Amino acid sequence: MSLALVPGSFDPVTNGHLDIIRRTSSLFERVCVVVATNSRKAPLFTVEERLDMLSEVCAPYANVTVDVCEGLLVHFAARCGAQVIVKGLRFVSDFENELQMARLNLTQNSAVETVFLPTGVEFSALSSSIVKEIARLGGAVEGLVPDSVQRHLRKKYAQP
Ligand code: PNS
């Protein structure tokens, strides 16, 4: 049974991420959305908060589960029997980074393939970092993140 991983920091999950998760869920029998720890980023939300937000927004997709990965993603993939890692691409610069990551992942586990999906045009300028900046400065994040995530952002930044 095919299993694909959709990894990311998801700090927090955006509508762009959700679009990739939804499209991946229609391509593979099972999908695991993996909260990965990125040592180059200081997260706003704890891993538990990110898992809770993801579990809520992924609930409509019956073949999607969420999990957390510590250590290398390809080792996680081997442990859970995933054959594919799916990454969304917004810009050429995303591709450059992700191509390097995909090649390095192949050196660690050649049985796990990386597949790229282009993000929808409407999400091409969207990132978790941009969303956090807008929310922190009191801007509107409607349409950028799911409603439940909007509530979490307001709470984090102590807004009514
Ligand atoms: O861009 P993001 O959302 O911060 O993605 C983070 C992550 C970890 C998915 C990305 O950097 C990646 O694919 N890393 C692969 C290297 C690895 O295995 N890191 C540990 C993750 S458990």
Side-chain angles (χ1 to χ4, degrees), residues 120-151:
V121 175
E122 65 272 44
F123 305 118
S124 60
L126 186 53
S127 71
S128 297
S129 305
I130 296 281
V131 163
K132 284 182 282 191
E133 188 70 356
I134 294 171
R136 187 176 67 80
L137 298 172
V141 292
E142 284 88 350
L144 305 182
V145 292
D147 291 350
S148 56
V149 175
Q150 284 181 46
R151 288 195 292 279

Side-chain angles (χ1 to χ4, degrees), residues 7-10 36-38 40-41 69 71-73 87 101 105:
S9 300
F10 301 110
T37 46
N38 187 333
R40 287 170 298 172
K41 294 181 181 173
C69 159
L72 282 178
L73 188 59
K87 293 285 187 85
M101 196 91 73
N105 280 342

Side-chain angles (χ1 to χ4, degrees), residues 2 7 29 34 47 55 64-65 74 76 78 84 95 112 117 130 137:
S2 67
E29 286 167 298
V34 186
V47 167
S55 298
V64 177
T65 55
V74 286
F76 179 89
V84 175
F95 180 65
V112 180
L117 293 184
I130 296 281
L137 298 172

Side-chain angles (χ1 to χ4, degrees), residues 35-112:
V35 175
T37 46
N38 187 333
S39 55
R40 287 170 298 172
K41 294 181 181 173
L44 174 67
F45 292 99
T46 65
V47 167
E48 290 70 27
E49 288 171 327
R50 286 180 270 164
L51 282 170
D52 284 349
M53 287 186 276
L54 277 167
S55 298
E56 191 173 342
V57 300
C58 293
Y61 309 107
N63 62 340
V64 177
T65 55
V66 302
D67 207 337
V68 62
C69 159
E70 279 154 18
L72 282 178
L73 188 59
V74 286
H75 290 170
F76 179 89
R79 279 199 300 277
C80 63
Q83 303 87 354
V84 175
I85 294 169
V86 175
K87 293 285 187 85
L89 293 180
R90 292 163 301 177
F91 332 103
V92 173
S93 57
D94 274 353
F95 180 65
E96 285 176 359
N97 295 332
E98 293 299 346
L99 180 62
Q100 183 184 21
M101 196 91 73
R103 284 180 170 151
L104 288 171
N105 280 342
L106 277 177
T107 68
Q108 301 300 306
N109 186 345
S110 60
V112 180

